[in-house]
Amino acid sequence: MNRSPRRRVLAATLSAASAVLVASGAVLLSAGNANAATTLGASAAATGRYFGTAVAAYKLSDSVYSTILNREFDMVTPENEMKWDATEPSQNSFSYTSGDQIVSQAQSHNQRVRGHALAWHSQQPGWAQSLSGTALRSAMTNHITNVATHYKGKIYSWDVVNEAFADGTSGARRSSNLQNTGNDWIEVAFRTARAADPAAKLCYNDYNTDGINAKSTAVYNMVSDFKTRGVPIDCVGFQGHFNSASPVTSDIQQNLARFAALGVDVQITELDIAGSGTAQATSYSSVVKACLAVARCNGITVWGIRDSDSWRASDTPLLFDNSGNKKASYTAALDALNSGGTTNPTTSVPTTSPTTVLPSTSNPTTSPPATAGCSATVSLNQWSGGFVATIKVTAGSAKINGWTVGVTLPSGAAVTNSWNTTASGSSGAVSFANVSYNGSVNAAASTEFGFQGTGVGPSATPTCTAR
Ligand code: G2I
């Protein structure tokens, strides 16, 4: 995508509007909700969603950058560190140092990771660019198997295939060396990723697909076909790169909803909006609201933290200025998140594993206690030898400020990894407490956490104790 000249013009045009906005900033400031969360991650978590950002490993030592990252965000996408050129610079020789750095910093701050990207026509290492046919196809599957296996258990979702459709009205696949290996390369990539990391959600990701158009309809038709034929796909990412030539349009919500109706989760994955001031803030607000209006839109990721971190820095497209100050667009996004939306986004179901949502009456001895100000339900993705449990915590008739969920694991089962929670114990009776950003849950609202384990997943309704 090469839109920088266009976007620079827009930024210049809007600079005057920005000054006006600063003077009248109250227009965009808090809506006055007493329960409003004060960070993007906490506010998104109150409706069961995440708020993420692209992260560059080499910036983690910048304290302004890392302070904002760890305060505001609960999902990270490595901006370049997990791409093919970074992870396999020579054929079958893998390099994970920078990707590992991002993962370990995310884990130590209770942030989940969106892996990006296993198969893409761009940012391929030179050796792959010169391959074709069966040699390229097997290099692709070897790459996916190795990278997804290396990060197994640490990735919430993978962009398995990125940007495989052509721009314009053709609805065709983008021509690329990967496409030239045969039209089935995308489904082969998804099946290979599922085999390597069965617990990761597997996403298709693209740009200029945010609204309803020929390109998004072509992706829609592919996802529909995959669901019909059992190709394992769990989610679709909409990059959300907007500017004056490709503005936020009102059919984003409708587009997200039509994909969600196919049985996949949907996410905004690389949001940035060229501009400044009121116009930019209003656009951010409308994208956030579109996601909140769709139950299966379970997360939003912006493509960088400060404007200066953006790949298109001259467009000033992000939520923080070059010094790390919150922009009007930040406040607009936060206010939109705090205005609520559909809660309890459903969890996507890997097509190869059945999901069981256990009725709350399944085991009277472990039903939520009558005194609790919260309740919890479990949704299981179970396969032979392992499982992922997603637990939904729902506040009762009053806001809660913290929660602890008790889960009894069957004999032989053990927790190996968890997210959005602090686990105590790993087998038998295990308890899971909220972390800093998801303890506060409004009345009747929900938040989600999860854990992965070996053996058989929990079969009884969890208990929930509120604070
Ligand atoms: O908006 C751009 C994004 C479109 N969707 C897929 C994303 O993966 C893509 O990200 C951008 C990164 O933000 C850039 O940082 O992808 C670019 C490459 O396609 C990245 O740019 C590259 C530069 O082209 C290289 O010269 C540089 O070595 O970043 C590399 C690492 O800094």
Side-chain angles (χ1 to χ4, degrees):
M1 305 153 62
N2 183 2
R3 303 152 306 172
S4 60
R6 209 163 50 220
R7 298 178 76 175
R8 253 182 243 117
V9 169
L10 179 75
T13 313
L14 293 177
S15 59
S18 171
V20 171
L21 182 85
V22 170
S24 60
V27 176
L28 287 164
L29 291 178
S30 171
N33 174 356
N35 292 327
T38 56
T39 66
L40 299 166
S43 184
T47 66
R49 293 175 174 80
Y50 66 78
F51 207 99
T53 179
V55 164
Y58 73 92
K59 290 179 183 160
L60 292 173
S61 56
D62 172 340
S63 65
V64 174
Y65 183 85
S66 60
T67 298
I68 300 172
L69 168 62
N70 297 327
R71 185 187 69 216
E72 297 287 343
F73 299 100
D74 59 358
M75 179 75 73
V76 302
T77 304
E79 187 174 355
N80 289 296
E81 292 77 353
M82 290 188 185
K83 291 172 179 175
W84 199 347
D85 59 352
T87 49
E88 195 181 358
S90 315
Q91 187 162 17
N92 218 23
S93 168
F94 293 86
S95 167
Y96 296 118
T97 311
S98 298
D100 288 355
Q101 200 187 336
I102 291 178
V103 170
S104 76
Q105 121 84 35
Q107 287 180 330
S108 64
H109 292 90
N110 291 309
Q111 295 152 340
R112 287 179 288 170
V113 179
R114 184 183 187 97
H116 175 82
L118 292 171
W120 188 25
H121 68 276
S122 182
Q123 280 179 284
Q124 293 180 2
W127 63 265
Q129 291 175 35
S130 60
L131 292 182
S132 61
T134 54
L136 177 60
R137 178 64 70 86
S138 53
M140 177 191 84
T141 55
N142 184 58
H143 177 75
I144 293 170
T145 299
N146 274 276
V147 177
T149 300
H150 176 81
Y151 288 112
K152 183 175 179 176
K154 298 176 177 174
I155 300 292
Y156 168 71
S157 62
W158 266 113
D159 287 331
V160 177
V161 170
N162 195 36
E163 302 175 0
F165 280 81
D167 288 316
T169 57
S170 69
R173 295 282 184 86
R174 173 193 295 277
S175 71
S176 72
N177 60 345
L178 290 168
Q179 182 62 31
N180 289 341
T181 66
N183 211 46
D184 62 345
W185 73 276
I186 298 180
E187 63 191 83
V188 167
F190 276 86
R191 289 196 168 101
T192 306
R194 177 68 94 226
D197 185 354
K201 295 183 187 304
L202 305 183
C203 309
Y204 176 79
N205 191 53
D206 215 328
Y207 68 90
N208 282 353
T209 49
D210 313 288
I212 296 180
N213 57 42
K215 186 174 177 182
S216 65
T217 297
V219 175
Y220 175 90
N221 289 337
M222 178 188 74
V223 174
S224 173
D225 172 56
F226 281 10
K227 295 302 277 186
T228 303
R229 293 190 293 112
V231 177
I233 185 168
D234 306 311
C235 34
V236 177
F238 300 85
Q239 293 184 8
H241 296 295
F242 298 107
N243 56 40
S244 56
S246 292
V248 177
T249 55
S250 57
D251 60 2
I252 288 181
Q253 181 184 325
Q254 204 187 333
N255 192 45
L256 293 172
R258 72 170 173 156
F259 276 85
L262 293 174
V264 288
D265 286 342
V266 292
Q267 293 107 12
I268 309 293
T269 54
E270 303 182 11
L271 182 59
D272 54 16
I273 306 176
S276 61
T278 310
Q280 186 186 55
T282 303
S283 294
Y284 265 104
S285 179
S286 65
V287 174
V288 170
K289 284 181 174 164
C291 178
L292 289 175
V294 176
R296 289 195 80 145
C297 184
N298 63 345
I300 298 169
T301 292
V302 288
W303 204 241
I305 296 179
R306 299 160 300 193
D307 284 333
S308 51
D309 299 317
S310 170
W311 185 50
R312 299 294 200 204
S314 61
D315 289 342
T316 63
L318 296 174
L319 299 178
F320 296 86
D321 70 17
N322 295 353
S323 305
N325 300 311
K326 296 170 181 174
K327 293 167 57 179
S329 291
Y330 171 93
T331 308
L334 183 65
D335 283 352
L337 288 167
N338 280 331
S339 71
T342 57
T343 52
N344 320 331
T346 47
T347 303
S348 75
V349 184
T351 44
T352 50
S353 339
T355 279
T356 315
V357 177
L358 296 164
S360 58
T361 52
S362 64
N363 184 339
T365 59
T366 55
S367 291
T371 53
C374 59
S375 59
T377 56
V378 60
S379 168
L380 277 185
N381 289 336
Q382 178 84 51
W383 60 92
S384 176
F387 64 90
V388 165
T390 302
I391 310 270
K392 185 172 75 183
V393 176
T394 304
S397 54
K399 182 193 176 195
I400 61 173
N401 298 308
W403 45 264
T404 303
V405 167
V407 173
T408 304
L409 293 180
S411 171
V415 175
T416 54
N417 180 36
S418 62
W419 48 92
N420 287 350
T421 186
T422 302
S424 301
S426 61
S427 61
V430 184
S431 70
F432 297 89
N434 63 275
V435 287
S436 59
Y437 54 82
N438 65 6
S440 162
V441 184
N442 288 341
S446 299
T447 188
E448 285 188 347
F449 70 92
F451 59 96
Q452 184 174 359
T454 52
V456 175
S459 60
T461 303
T463 60
C464 188
T465 311
R467 288 190 296 282

